[in-house]
Amino acid sequence: RRKVSWRPTSRSVVHHGKSRRNPYPIKCVPNDRFVALSLTSSPGLYCLAFTTFQHVHWIAPIISSMPFGVGISFVYISVFTYFVTAYRSMAAATLSGCAIMRTSFGAAFPLFANQMYDRLGTVGATALLAGLMTLMAPLPCVFMMTPL
């Protein structure tokens, strides 16, 4: 029997020892390109926040939302790929848990979004969300640097 160390916040999931079916240890590494490209979502949200003034042409917020959308897509792709690779035997349960968390955040956001945008305005509220995203942007790098 082989030992398996499961640490979902670490850089890798390593199977210790060899078996007949798998003579080589398996190492699951999140795709670093997706983590690096996910850092485009925070500046994209700042650009979106500061192009929502009425005197700015309507195409400017549309164009500035592209880096935000690309960064969020890369975050979803890398998280889903990591969960499927790390929890291979429980991939469906892991992805359903991820979907439940995502939809619960999506359901909770409208409960306070109207008040936030009314009090802060479109520029202030979107800049606040961009600031929160900037504070959380280094977290994947911190998790990848933690030793096993």
Side-chain angles (χ1 to χ4, degrees):
R1 242 177 110 132
R2 59 184 181 169
K3 297 180 192 176
V4 179
S5 87
W6 297 96
R7 292 189 59 201
T9 57
S10 69
R11 184 171 170 84
S12 61
V13 174
V14 180
H15 293 269
H16 302 287
K18 297 178 182 179
S19 67
R20 287 186 204 158
R21 284 188 254 162
N22 187 10
Y24 303 105
I26 299 171
K27 192 167 186 182
C28 167
V29 179
N31 201 340
D32 294 336
R33 291 176 298 177
F34 289 147
V35 172
L37 288 173
S38 70
L39 298 177
T40 63
S41 52
S42 180
L45 196 55
Y46 276 119
C47 289
L48 178 66
F50 295 115
T51 56
T52 56
F53 292 109
Q54 289 184 351
H55 60 84
V56 177
H57 193 270
W58 63 269
I59 197 70
I62 303 297
I63 292 172
S64 65
S65 67
M66 286 179 180
F68 173 69
V70 168
I72 292 297
S73 298
F74 282 141
V75 167
Y76 284 147
I77 290 170
S78 66
V79 166
F80 290 162
T81 305
Y82 178 70
F83 280 161
V84 168
T85 308
Y87 301 107
R88 187 173 305 273
S89 62
M90 303 174 287
T94 307
L95 291 181
S96 66
C98 192
I100 288 171
M101 288 298 293
R102 186 178 70 236
T103 54
S104 63
F105 283 124
F109 188 75
L111 297 176
F112 64 87
N114 286 334
Q115 293 86 1
M116 181 177 71
Y117 274 89
D118 286 341
R119 290 187 183 147
L120 298 176
T122 56
V123 177
T126 311
L128 175 70
L129 294 174
L132 290 173
M133 188 177 284
T134 303
L135 289 175
M136 289 189 269
L139 286 179
C141 300
V142 170
F143 287 147
M144 286 189 337
M145 293 177 151
T146 58
L148 283 175

